[in-house]
């Protein structure tokens, strides 16, 4: 191993320590008792403090009903809305990449900007209006409403991201598929979507993260049945003193689905390297 | 053996002039047609219309006597090789070649083993069996070109369209592929239409040449027709390398005056004409010559087997080809004679041919 290699490794090692420390801290906190948390920092289990599974027993035991509901909500809302955003956004982006639209003075780039502009505005600006709409449509605190809200929130992102992916596919490849005997839908299924797979995976991943981490919509548009994990975590903070051990345990569990989604989709995103040289 | 007819086809994309303008020609079954013209001439638009990718504004295209109007591209059974090859990057060469055979429109017509046989066969014809398991990104330009051709041929299409298929190959490979294309087309007997900006492709390959420029067909005929008897200045300019000399002249009852010399050719009503003469027909001398115009050498290029000498005569540049080794240095005096029998004469205003070079 060369000296430069060691230098690089040292830097990376320090960085990993830095990046992983909060995760470590959350992890050990989830196994602490109240006294270990409030009585000064305790770093090392079995040495500084005696770990306990009290938080986990509360979570997965009798006190866990609420937790499972919110966890399921988060997974369903994030998963379904991201899927919808990728499908609907994919078709919109394909249209923008391949067809020329003309609505009065507006062309493809204007439409594209119009769609993206929905995301430029801070969500806090629109959430009050959205609240009023939800009240009138009786969508407050409903699963359907939340999926709708997250899909709408993520559509601008997926349209914007996927348009560039579709535009990068040479139109001749689609023409070749047409002449080879594949009708429009088959061309999409057999050629266009496989080639755009890295983009579709990336769009799903980002949508999932945004929906998973959302706090504002959940805060404003739900109060009980359709509440998501971030809101549940906050509720643990709302009593006389924060229940840090519980908060940490939920936080750890909340890390798992995005991690799984990332690992699964990462393989599709890596395909880009393989494909290369499309032109 | 399917006959292709194109009748009065016009396509406008909203530009000042149509991309393709009132185009008509007939390509006989099994023939090799070449559409030659500069970039922007409308070659790709024409092929796309025949393929069904772009609908014509007016006019009719028929294949084997039946109109193609209203038939979707996937149902026309026309194959096309694209300028950028357009291989499916996510599929191996084998999968690329199988792709047309597994298409929904051909479902059930070929068994699994028949597909394998066809792919093996076409891979052998194109000499690419060793590449079958590679991805397109792992191939060179020439190899991609072969795969692209194989994908077009594997299903034995009714018509093969080639859009500048060898333009991006290097010169040596281009010659090799050209010969190869001709061989394969003859073997399969598939009606073929080939678009190219390279006039030498047209002369080397074509049973039928369509000279296309600015969307119009300026002449349709055999390679000999368009080269020996260009119908107008545009055709004369398109074919031949080095390019034909086009010189301003005057015609009257006594003959043609060009480069200040009177040439005994094409007597007719008086008026301005454009005189065309191929560089190979120009007589060049470093000594004074009877009936020759005097000028100065501007530049001499060697092509190996011959030299191209550019001579300035009274402000006009004349290109002449001479056997290699005749020393001509820039600035040297030179005499240029245009043999009467070798002249093409075009009407100056319209560019229409009045007289052709006599063929020896």
């Amino acid at each position: 191993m060369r000296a430069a290699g060691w230098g690089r490794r040292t830097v990376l090692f320090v960085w990993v320590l830095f990046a992983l420390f909060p995760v470590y801290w959350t992890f050990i906190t989830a196994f602490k008792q109240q006294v270990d948390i409030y009585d000064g920092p305790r770093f090392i289990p079995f040495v500084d403090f005696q770990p306990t599974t009290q938080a986990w027993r509360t979570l997965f035991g009798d006190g866990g009903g609420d937790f499972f509901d919110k966890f399921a909500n988060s997974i369903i809302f994030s998963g379904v809305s991201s899927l919808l955003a990728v499908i609907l956004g994919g078709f919109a982006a394909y249209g923008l990449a391949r067809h020329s639209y003309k609505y009065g003075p507006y062309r493809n780039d204007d439409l594209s900007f119009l769609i993206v502009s929905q995301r430029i505005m801070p969500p806090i600006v629109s959430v009050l209006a959205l609240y009023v709409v939800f009240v009138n449509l009786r969508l407050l605190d409903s699963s359907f409403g939340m999926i709708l809200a997250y899909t709408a929130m993520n559509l601008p992102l997926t349209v914007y991201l996927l348009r560039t992916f579709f535009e990068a596919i040479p139109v001749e490849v689609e023409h070749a598929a047409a002449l080879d005997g594949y009708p429009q839908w088959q061309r999409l299924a057999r050629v266009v979507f496989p080639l755009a797979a890295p983009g579709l995976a990336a769009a799903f991943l980002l949508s999932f993260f945004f929906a998973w981490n959302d706090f504002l919509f959940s805060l404003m548009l739900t109060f009980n049945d359709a509440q998501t994990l971030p809101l549940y975590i906050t509720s643990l903070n709302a009593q006389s003193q924060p229940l840090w051990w519980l908060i940490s345990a939920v936080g750890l569990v909340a890390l798992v689905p995005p991690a799984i989604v990332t690992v699964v989709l990462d393989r599709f995103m890596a395909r880009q390297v393989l494909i290369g040289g499309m032109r | 053996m399917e006959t292709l007819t194109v009748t009065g086809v016009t396509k406008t994309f909203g530009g000042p002039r149509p991309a393709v303008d009132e185009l008509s020609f007939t390509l006989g079954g099994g023939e090799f047609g070449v559409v030659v013209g500069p970039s922007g001439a409308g070659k790709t638009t024409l092929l796309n219309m025949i393929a069904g990718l772009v609908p014509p504004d007016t006019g009719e295209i028929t294949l084997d006597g039946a109109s193609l109007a209203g038939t979707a591209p996937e149902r026309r059974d026309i194959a096309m090789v694209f300028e950028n090859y357009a291989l499916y990057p996510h599929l191996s060469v084998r999968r690329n070649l199988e792709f047309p055979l597994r298409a929904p429109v051909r479902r059930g017509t070929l068994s699994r083993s028949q597909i394998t046989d066809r792919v093996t066969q076409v891979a052998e014809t194109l000499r690419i069996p060793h590449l079958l398991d590679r991805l397109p990104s792992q191939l060179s330009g020439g190899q991609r070109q072969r795969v692209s051709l194989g994908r077009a041929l594997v299903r034995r299409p009714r018509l093969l369209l080639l859009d500048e298929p060898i333009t991006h190959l290097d010169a040596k490979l281009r010659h090799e592929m050209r010969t190869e294309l001709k061989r394969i087309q003859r073997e399969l007997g598939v009606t073929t239409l080939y678009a190219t900006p390279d006039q030498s492709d047209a002369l080397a390959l074509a049973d039928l040449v369509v000279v296309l420029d600015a969307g119009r067909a300026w002449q349709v005929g055999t390679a000999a027709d368009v080269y020996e008897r260009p119908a107008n200045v545009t055709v004369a300019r398109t074919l031949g390398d080095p390019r034909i000399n086009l010189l301003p002249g005057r015609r009257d009852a006594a003959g043609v005056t060009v480069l200040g010399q009177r040439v005994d050719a094409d007597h007719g009503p008086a008026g301005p004409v454009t005189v065309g003469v191929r560089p190979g027909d120009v007589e060049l001398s470093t000594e004074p010559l009877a009936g020759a115009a005097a000028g100065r050498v501007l530049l001499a290029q060697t092509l190996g087997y011959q030299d191209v000498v550019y001579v300035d005569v009274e402000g006009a540049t004349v290109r002449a080809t001479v056997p290699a080794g005749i020393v001509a240095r820039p600035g040297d005096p030179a005499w240029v004679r245009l043999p009467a029998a070798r002249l093409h004469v075009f009407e100056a205003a319209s560019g229409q041919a009045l007289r052709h070079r006599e063929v020896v």
Side-chain angles (χ1 to χ4, degrees):
Chain A
M1 182 57 67
R2 292 172 298 118
W6 283 111
R8 185 175 301 176
R9 279 173 175 231
T10 309
V11 170
L12 282 175
F13 184 71
V14 171
W15 173 251
V16 166
L17 281 186
F18 182 74
L20 286 184
F21 183 74
V23 180
Y24 172 73
W25 193 251
T26 310
F27 183 78
I28 59 168
T29 305
F31 291 94
K32 283 178 181 172
Q33 288 176 310
Q34 195 169 351
V35 60
D36 297 321
I37 291 169
Y38 288 107
D39 191 23
R42 308 246 167 122
F43 290 93
I44 305 163
F46 300 108
V47 178
D48 272 352
F49 65 95
Q50 200 56 40
T52 164
T53 53
Q54 187 202 321
W56 299 94
R57 273 181 279 132
T58 312
L59 217 53
F60 290 97
D62 33 326
D66 246 13
F67 163 72
F68 285 117
D69 289 349
K70 314 304 185 205
F71 190 50
N73 278 347
S74 265
I75 289 180
I76 292 167
F77 298 170
S78 302
V80 174
S81 74
S82 301
L83 200 64
L84 283 174
V86 168
I87 292 170
L88 295 174
F91 284 123
Y94 179 79
L96 285 169
R98 283 292 186 254
H99 300 282
S100 294
Y101 297 109
K102 195 177 163 188
Y103 297 104
Y106 302 111
R107 302 284 188 277
N108 287 25
D109 284 341
D110 306 305
L111 295 173
S112 209
F113 177 77
L114 197 72
I115 294 170
V116 173
S117 68
Q118 303 301 306
R119 202 74 168 92
I120 296 173
M121 180 171 57
I124 191 112
V125 179
S126 60
V127 78
L128 282 175
L130 200 59
Y131 176 79
V132 175
V133 171
F134 268 48
V135 168
N136 282 299
L137 294 178
R138 299 179 192 285
L139 287 171
L140 272 191
D141 202 30
S142 70
S143 299
F144 179 72
M146 289 310 285
I147 289 172
L148 209 62
Y150 287 146
T151 306
M153 175 181 85
N154 280 325
L155 266 175
L157 174 83
T158 55
V159 172
Y160 181 74
L161 193 73
L162 290 173
R163 186 185 175 190
T164 44
F165 272 92
F166 288 132
E167 278 173 350
I169 300 173
V171 70
E172 287 84 359
V173 175
E174 281 180 63
H175 286 169
L179 293 174
D180 281 350
Y182 290 76
Q184 178 72 67
W185 285 99
Q186 290 274 344
R187 274 174 251 161
L188 288 175
R190 305 291 294 275
V191 175
V192 177
F193 286 158
L195 288 178
L200 296 170
F204 183 89
L205 200 63
L206 287 174
S207 297
F208 190 88
F209 291 167
F210 278 121
W212 186 262
N213 293 330
D214 166 75
F215 181 77
L216 188 63
F217 281 19
S218 189
L219 177 71
M220 295 296 293
L221 305 177
T222 70
F223 35 83
N224 187 33
D225 291 352
Q227 236 171 27
T228 56
L229 219 43
L231 260 288
Y232 177 70
I233 293 177
T234 323
S235 74
L236 297 175
N237 198 358
Q239 295 158 31
S240 59
Q241 50 182 339
L243 310 172
W244 288 119
W245 54 98
L246 268 184
I247 292 176
S248 299
V250 177
L252 281 181
V253 175
L255 279 178
V256 173
I260 291 174
V261 172
T262 307
V263 169
V264 170
L265 292 184
D266 190 53
R267 281 189 292 166
F268 289 98
M269 292 197 277
R271 284 236 308 253
Q272 182 117 55
V273 183
L274 196 73
I275 287 169
M278 272 200 283
R279 286 182 190 274
Chain B
M1 294 286 184
E2 319 268 353
T3 300
L4 171 74
T5 70
V6 172
T7 314
V9 165
T10 299
K11 179 71 194 180
T12 307
F13 287 113
R17 60 163 182 81
V20 170
D21 193 1
E22 284 292 320
L23 190 63
S24 298
F25 64 89
T26 300
L27 184 64
E31 283 189 348
F32 200 118
V34 174
V35 180
V36 63
S39 59
K43 303 187 295 289
T44 300
T45 304
L46 170 65
L47 294 197
N48 283 345
M49 285 191 289
I50 296 171
L53 300 169
V54 170
D57 295 339
T58 57
E60 192 180 46
I61 300 168
T62 70
L63 190 58
D64 198 22
S67 172
L68 290 176
T71 308
E74 59 265 26
R75 307 217 150 265
R76 292 192 177 195
D77 199 8
I78 291 173
M80 185 154 164
V81 174
F82 295 85
E83 186 177 354
N84 62 4
Y85 315 132
L87 299 176
Y88 307 119
H90 57 306
L91 302 177
S92 68
V93 169
R94 186 189 305 279
R95 290 273 167 203
N96 264 279
L97 295 175
E98 285 173 357
F99 200 77
L101 302 179
R102 294 173 177 272
V105 298
R106 270 174 285 277
R107 184 158 294 148
T109 56
L110 289 169
S111 71
R112 192 174 289 266
S113 68
Q114 279 173 312
I115 290 177
T116 312
D117 289 348
R118 286 270 198 105
V119 169
T120 311
Q121 194 188 334
V122 82
E124 271 164 16
T125 308
L126 290 162
R127 302 182 182 128
I128 50 171
H130 57 295
L131 302 176
L132 283 175
D133 294 318
R134 296 211 198 154
L135 284 173
S137 58
Q138 298 166 314
L139 304 178
S140 70
Q143 290 168 336
R144 286 180 202 190
Q145 207 279 332
R146 279 167 189 267
V147 176
S148 174
L149 188 60
R151 185 181 62 183
L153 293 172
V154 72
R155 65 188 144 111
R156 298 169 193 163
R158 300 163 70 199
L159 175 68
L160 175 63
L161 302 174
L162 302 156
D163 190 7
E164 302 194 21
I166 60 179
T167 307
H168 297 297
L169 303 181
D170 61 65
K172 190 165 163 261
L173 207 52
R174 208 154 60 217
H175 277 277
E176 197 184 304
M177 276 313 295
R178 188 155 76 193
T179 320
E180 194 82 346
L181 265 178
K182 184 87 173 175
R183 171 180 73 82
I184 292 164
Q185 195 267 343
R186 281 274 175 277
E187 272 175 29
L188 301 178
V190 59
T191 311
T192 302
L193 190 63
Y194 179 110
T196 178
D198 184 350
Q199 56 90 29
S200 57
D201 285 347
L203 297 180
L205 296 169
D207 298 314
L208 183 81
V209 180
V210 178
V211 181
L212 199 68
D213 196 2
R216 289 181 53 195
W218 296 82
Q219 191 170 359
V220 178
T222 63
D225 280 342
V226 293
Y227 184 78
E228 303 284 356
R229 292 174 291 282
N232 47 58
V233 171
T234 306
V235 175
R237 200 188 285 133
T238 303
L239 295 150
D241 181 43
R243 278 201 328 180
I244 193 168
N245 293 293
L246 292 168
L247 305 163
R250 267 199 78 74
R251 180 177 70 161
D252 55 37
V256 170
T257 308
V258 61
L259 297 178
Q261 303 294 311
R262 176 159 286 281
V263 183
D264 182 23
D266 194 43
H267 320 261
V273 293
T274 300
V275 174
V277 56
R278 300 263 176 217
D281 290 334
V282 174
E283 290 176 16
L284 181 76
S285 168
T286 50
E287 308 287 325
L289 206 61
R296 277 190 187 282
V297 174
L298 287 173
L299 184 68
Q301 289 177 326
T302 183
L303 301 178
Y305 56 98
Q306 64 180 14
D307 290 355
V308 185
V309 183
Y310 296 77
V311 185
D312 175 73
V313 183
E314 296 171 357
T317 303
V318 177
R319 288 175 291 273
T321 50
V322 296
I326 292 182
V327 185
R329 268 182 298 269
D332 284 356
W335 282 263
V336 168
R337 186 162 66 188
L338 309 180
R342 296 281 183 269
L343 302 189
H344 297 271
V345 180
F346 304 97
E347 213 216 328
S350 68
Q352 292 303 313
L354 299 170
R355 172 193 191 274
H356 294 302
R357 169 188 189 270
E358 289 160 19
V359 182
V360 240

